[in-house]
Amino acid sequence: HPQCILKGFAKLPPAHWLLFHDGRVELRRYWRTPHDEAGSDEQKARAAIGQTFSRIGEINRGVEQIERGLALRRKALGENHPVTLQTLAGLAWTYKEAGRSKESIATFNEALKRQEAVLGPDHDDTIVTLLALGHAYARLDDAPNLALAVAFCERGLERATRVLGPNALKTYAAMNYLAQACFQGGRFSEAIALNEAVLKDYLTRFGPFSSYTLGVMGDLALAYCGAGQVTKAMQMVAASKMRRAQQAALAGRPYAALMNKVLAQVTAGA
């Protein structure tokens, strides 16, 4: 680093600290900027309502609420306020989930352009939007857009690795996004290598029953299948199904124990 006199050592960015835990190193901010809590109660409520509608499958109603929240934030905070830009990127993601690909890509591009100008290319929000834009291009099943998807995801992964570190959660999420783009583009061997690395990390970070881990296992099974490695694909699917069944059984244990207790009390009182 040019501001550090020691060769092979890097200077931390301002307001960041380095966390070492369980053999992993992660870079984190130790304070939040005022814009993190900016926005009126109505703006925050509409964003939350929009996200809730989206999660329960009412995508169009979610879009409507987020659009209204964005209009309020633009009026109150300005076009280029970081929270306004976060909301703009969130709207782009909701457009993507609603199948409105052209609007999604246009909105992501606008958010990315503004975030790079206002926050800088290495800001967390900018990196996330860059990756999300690549993910949106991957939804368009044609060669030029798939090439753009891979390019944006590669840029996002490079920035995440450089800024956040190779072991950061967002870096592994970026690897998963790039793996999905590679899979859509028929680059199965690259998708397999990336997702195998992500799965190894997620098993340690989240455990075998996490939805994140199971999701990557599904992605990896598809990549194996695309590469003609049918046996590995079937093994991965079987392992995923077994873990989901185990997860459901473990989740039901408290209820089973409670029912046994109730039955015991009823029997004793009879």
Side-chain angles (χ1 to χ4, degrees):
H1 191 284
Q3 297 181 22
C4 183
I5 62 172
L6 300 175
K7 185 177 180 180
F9 286 77
K11 185 175 180 180
L12 294 178
H16 283 72
W17 50 281
L18 204 64
L19 175 68
F20 180 81
H21 181 67
D22 291 337
R24 296 178 179 278
V25 178
E26 191 164 350
L27 189 68
R28 294 183 182 176
R29 286 192 291 174
Y30 59 74
W31 52 261
R32 307 292 292 179
T33 56
H35 77 255
D36 292 328
E37 301 299 328
S40 70
D41 289 341
E42 183 182 358
Q43 294 163 17
K44 294 175 184 176
R46 290 201 179 278
I49 292 169
Q51 291 171 2
T52 302
F53 275 133
S54 300
R55 286 169 184 160
I56 63 174
E58 298 282 347
I59 302 293
N60 291 329
R61 296 180 71 181
V63 167
E64 179 185 355
Q65 292 297 326
I66 296 173
E67 285 176 337
R68 292 171 70 178
L70 177 60
L72 289 170
R73 282 184 167 156
R74 278 174 165 162
K75 183 177 180 180
L77 304 175
E79 289 279 352
N80 292 321
H81 192 281
V83 170
T84 305
L85 299 179
Q86 285 179 350
T87 308
L88 183 64
L91 177 61
W93 185 271
T94 310
Y95 281 148
K96 179 175 71 68
E97 294 302 302
R100 296 161 62 170
S101 298
K102 289 184 178 180
E103 290 168 279
S104 172
I105 289 171
T107 307
F108 270 134
N109 272 307
E110 180 186 354
L112 179 62
K113 182 179 179 180
R114 291 179 182 273
Q115 285 173 332
E116 286 183 330
V118 175
L119 303 174
D122 292 340
H123 191 277
D124 284 12
D125 291 353
T126 310
I127 294 171
V128 170
T129 301
L130 179 61
L131 290 164
L133 177 58
H135 196 265
Y137 273 115
R139 290 284 186 93
L140 302 176
D141 194 15
D142 60 79
N145 285 310
L146 290 174
L148 284 172
V150 171
F152 279 117
C153 288
E154 285 177 336
R155 284 169 55 193
L157 176 57
E158 184 278 325
R159 290 185 192 179
T161 304
R162 175 169 46 82
V163 176
L164 305 175
N167 295 320
L169 176 57
K170 286 183 180 177
T171 302
Y172 280 101
M175 291 174 68
N176 182 239
Y177 272 36
L178 176 56
Q180 292 180 40
C182 287
F183 171 78
Q184 294 293 337
R187 295 162 60 171
F188 301 123
S189 59
E190 293 168 82
I192 289 170
L194 288 163
N195 270 329
E196 285 179 339
V198 175
L199 179 60
K200 182 179 179 180
D201 176 79
Y202 280 14
L203 283 168
T204 303
R205 192 187 298 267
F206 298 117
F209 304 120
S210 165
S211 60
Y212 297 106
T213 305
L214 295 172
V216 174
M217 290 177 72
D219 291 341
L220 190 51
L222 290 172
Y224 282 143
C225 189
Q229 300 179 31
V230 179
T231 301
K232 283 189 174 182
M234 293 176 66
Q235 290 172 340
M236 190 61 62
V237 170
S240 177
K241 287 183 176 180
M242 182 183 69
R243 287 177 182 175
R244 290 183 189 276
Q246 289 174 325
Q247 184 182 36
L250 290 171
R253 279 185 179 177
Y255 303 100
L258 179 60
M259 288 303 298
N260 286 332
K261 184 177 180 181
V262 171
L263 287 171
Q265 290 176 349
V266 171
T267 303

